[in-house]
Amino acid sequence: KTAELAKMSRFLKNEKGVYVPKGMGVSIDVLDLLLNVVDRNGNRNTNALKDFEKAIKDKDYDSAVAAAEKISSFIDEKDISFTRSEFESFLKNKISEFTVPGVKYSVRSSGVGEDGSSNAFAGMGETKLNISSENVYENIKECWKSFFSERCISYMIKSGQLVKPAVLIQEMVNVEKAGVVFSRDKYGSETIEVVYGLGEGLVSGALTPDTINVDINNGEIIEYSVADKQFKIVATKNGIAKEAVKQGVKARALNAETVKRLTEIIRLLEKDSGYPIDVEFGIKEGNIYILQRRAITTFDTSLQKNVKNKKNNAKSGLKQMITVISSDVSKEQDVFVNIGNPGNKDEAISIYLKTVEGGRSVFIVDEKYSYLVKNGQILSLLVERINTDPVIMKKFNSNLPIFNRVDKGEIGILPVSDLIGDAVFEKSVNINIESVRNILSAA
């Protein structure tokens, strides 16, 4: 979630009247670190973490709940260690670097991988709104604990997926209207749902939104269904509250001009992603705020089947060769994926799929990035994206064997290091994990 917001912030920085609120992420490693620190009583909760992960793997609900209770208790421990105090102090200082005094924050939990194309964990962790800087850490703790709730444990055991908690801290914008855009449905059109006030009213299901069906080619409204908007969710001094709507109960929440501009932004974000997306947004004083982007999980129900087929195909020994070349790129050509420029964090490099023939795929990038092609950096980043993003993996070629991830000790595509110029990657398995990491870090 945090990574997507960071990418969109860079991608949209030159779009007039469009913003991504400032923020920072707390990675999953932080909770692991804090739980492994010995407190003043000599207690350490390492075993509880291991017990929890084992219980999820073994689908042992009672043991998972018991371990989760220990972890939650340790998170709440009053006699905190120096490391925890140090982290809290660091957190406050870091927040002050990107916001002005008096600003409130949203503290949003994010399960690593929850916004992928084939899962449904999103929304199970806590989200805290309108939080003062002094209370951010306490709310981070609440987000952490929400991942060890009985509801989340049930999901993890049922899905067989251990979901670790990261947390996003973001500047709170008291938007006048908020909603979600589904970039396309099965008929190829776009759907916008919007309510007055904060988006919490829509996300929680407490409010019925206006629903707008939009032609994706020109942003024109196909159909507009107006909801009876009696209430809205607003920010208060100490949180959020439900408030009666005084004007515009039966009016359209968005005018045609705003719908068209919002659709333009969604088209840009969808093209950047390379697949259908849903995007959370807010509007204040005419400005559009983008709050989240993720793949539409219900768009292609065959994804899981394709993944299973690719796993089976992998056993057959099929190979996939990839070549990246630098060349002049036609403006009409569709972007396959955008990769962050390793030499300029504010720039994205567009990669285009030129052709796929048999077991060979050729990608092209603009001539000005030829130096990144020659030193292998483009391919290292492309390989990482294919290996870790199931939607991009599927877009790449659904008939090829699935590529194993680096963190499982295998890598789907590995560079042939003695090639200069057009670098070629070949499928290889059971590669020593340290050698793979050294190659990627060197690149």
Side-chain angles (χ1 to χ4, degrees), residues 103-168:
V103 167
K104 296 292 185 70
Y105 304 90
S106 61
V107 182
R108 309 166 65 186
S109 60
S110 178
V112 173
E114 75 173 36
D115 288 340
S117 64
S118 58
N119 52 53
F121 191 85
M124 289 199 179
E126 287 281 354
T127 292
K128 303 294 185 178
L129 301 177
N130 213 34
I131 305 301
S132 66
S133 60
E134 293 77 15
N135 294 321
V136 164
Y137 181 64
E138 288 301 315
N139 283 276
I140 289 176
K141 288 163 61 176
E142 292 303 310
C143 289
W144 280 336
K145 288 192 296 180
S146 69
F147 279 74
F148 300 100
S149 68
E150 293 186 9
R151 178 176 158 216
C152 288
I153 290 171
S154 295
Y155 170 82
M156 292 184 205
I157 288 178
K158 183 178 179 180
S159 67
Q161 178 188 10
L162 176 69
V163 183
K164 293 187 175 183
V167 179
L168 166 66

Side-chain angles (χ1 to χ4, degrees), residues 356-384:
V356 177
E357 296 179 1
R360 184 178 181 85
S361 300
V362 179
F363 292 86
I364 58 174
V365 298
D366 191 274
E367 184 68 39
K368 65 182 178 180
Y369 301 115
S370 60
Y371 67 101
L372 294 173
V373 172
K374 290 181 180 180
N375 66 22
Q377 284 186 286
I378 290 287
L379 279 189
S380 293
L381 294 169
L382 176 59
V383 168
E384 180 183 11

Side-chain angles (χ1 to χ4, degrees), residues 17-19 258 261-262 265 281-284 286-290:
V18 181
Y19 305 95
T258 303
R261 179 56 175 149
L262 185 58
I265 299 303
F281 70 93
I283 295 176
K284 181 179 181 180
N287 294 317
I288 296 174
Y289 293 85
I290 302 299

